[in-house]
């Protein structure tokens, strides 16, 4: 029964939620689970009904990393060739994505969370990149995204000495947006997603894109990129509606166009 490796929900208007559902293996990420999750996220991303996505796991584990049992039998060429390696599908989604993280977010699990645009964590969340302990290293962005998020010194400790970051530390170092008690983190993530989903969609999409460009481009290039996107918002119906609503002192009625 392969279709139960994820669960898909609409927990609030405009919010699409994908949950890893392999609790017996702490949501270890095998190729089939990843395929199902990416397809569900891409379907939400393509549809008009959804304005913000939430990716989550269980209270005990967001995901304890890539499936070591599956990787144990794979050689370098197989890793290179099969679609197990295309984890970047998550970072290519156009709509904002929130990772709601509780328990373990290790290895590829931490990397998936970092590919999301915001991270909401429970107080029990633990982030780490322990790949060195099984004779490999991070391969889905850990050395790059964690270093950008928390700085070189701490990233070295996390990846070379397997230091796990608590939720409080992750918040302190800028890796996560918010930390909530275990019984409310998911509801808070969904509430944040609903708030984002209620924004004008094209502005949200272009803003996400421009912020992510800040990690890749030189400042002058990023500023030029932002300026072009800014001008593009002036071509939208929502720009006309947003400004008219402000001037008429009424709430805007967004169309997503
Ligand atoms: N892969 C496969 N199975 C796992 C994994 C995993 N990553 N993590 C846990 N499990 C399984 C265990 O084997 C166990 O199964 P069983 O009950 O059948 O023995 C079950 O989940 C429960 O695990 P534990 O009994 O170990 O639970 P504990 O509470 O004692 O420990 C830990 C929890 C600390 C999370 C521990 O399970 C652990 O260390 N897990 C491995 C963590 C790890 O090393 N993660 C990194 C994996 S490598 C990776 O993510 C590389 C990503 C590369 C992406 C790039 C692609 C291009």
């Amino acid at each position: 029964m392969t279709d139960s490796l994820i669960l898909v929900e609409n927990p609030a208007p405009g919010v699409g939620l994908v949950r890893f559902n392999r609790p017996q293996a702490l949501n270890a990420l095998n190729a089939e689970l990843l395929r199902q999750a990416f397809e569900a996220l891409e379907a939400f991303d393509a549809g008009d009904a959804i304005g913000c996505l939430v990716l989550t796991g269980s209270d005990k584990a967001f995901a304890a990393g890539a499936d070591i049992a599956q990787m144990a039998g794979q050689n370098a060429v197989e890793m290179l060739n099969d679609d197990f390696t295309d984890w970047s599908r998550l970072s290519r989604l156009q709509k904002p994505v929130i990772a709601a993280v509780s328990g373990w977010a290790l290895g590829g699990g931490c990397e998936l969370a970092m590919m999301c645009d915001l991270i909401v964590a429970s107080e029990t969340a633990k982030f780490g990149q322990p790949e060195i302990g099984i004779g490999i290293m991070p391969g889905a962005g850990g050395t790059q995204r964690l270093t950008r998020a928390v700085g070189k010194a701490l990233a070295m400790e996390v990846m070379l000495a397997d230091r796990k970051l608590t939720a409080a530390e992750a918040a302190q170092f800028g890796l996560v947006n918010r930390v909530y008690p275990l019984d409310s983190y998911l509801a808070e993530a969904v509430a944040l997603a609903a708030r984002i989903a209620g924004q004008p969609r094209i502005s949200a999409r272009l803003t996400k894109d421009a912020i992510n460009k800040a990690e890749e481009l030189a400042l002058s290039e990023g500023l030029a990129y932002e300026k072009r996107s800014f001008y593009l918002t002036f071509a939208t119906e929502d720009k006309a509606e947003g400004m008219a609503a402000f001037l008429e002192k009424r709430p805007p009625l967004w169309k997503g166009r």
Side-chain angles (χ1 to χ4, degrees), residues 113-245:
M114 291 191 293
M115 282 182 215
C116 296
D117 302 303
L118 303 100
I119 302 179
V120 171
S122 84
E123 286 168 349
T124 68
K126 281 200 177 61
F127 297 84
Q129 299 283 165
E131 288 92 334
I132 198 165
I134 53 169
I136 58 171
M137 63 174 281
T143 60
Q144 305 303 299
R145 290 197 177 91
L146 188 71
T147 305
R148 280 170 163 78
V150 306
K152 174 178 167 178
L154 186 56
M156 287 284 183
E157 212 179 319
V158 169
M159 286 179 262
L160 292 177
D162 190 12
R163 173 169 169 187
K164 307 284 198 300
L165 300 179
T166 64
E169 288 171 328
Q172 179 192 344
F173 296 122
L175 183 63
V176 314
N177 292 76
R178 307 272 182 121
V179 180
Y180 295 102
L182 183 59
D183 61 5
S184 63
Y185 79 98
L186 188 56
E188 294 287 357
V190 169
L192 180 60
R195 180 170 166 77
I196 293 171
Q199 306 285 15
R201 299 272 169 87
I202 294 174
S203 291
R205 174 178 153 186
L206 293 175
T207 301
K208 159 183 168 150
D209 183 42
I211 292 171
N212 283 328
K213 281 286 186 292
E215 299 206 313
E216 295 174 15
L217 300 178
L219 181 60
S220 59
E221 293 168 346
L223 291 170
Y225 191 88
E226 179 196 75
K227 191 57 67 70
R228 283 193 293 275
S229 298
F230 170 76
Y231 290 143
L232 186 54
T233 61
F234 278 65
T236 65
E237 292 180 34
D238 282 342
K239 173 264 177 186
E241 168 64 9
M243 294 195 180

Side-chain angles (χ1 to χ4, degrees), residues 24-26 28 64-69 71 79 84-85 87 104 106-109 111 130-131 134 136 139-140:
Q24 73 283 6
L26 301 180
D67 189 329
I68 298 169
M71 286 189 296
M79 288 295 282
F84 184 63
T85 57
W87 296 50
W104 299 111
L106 300 179
E111 290 171 313
E131 288 92 334
I134 53 169
I136 58 171

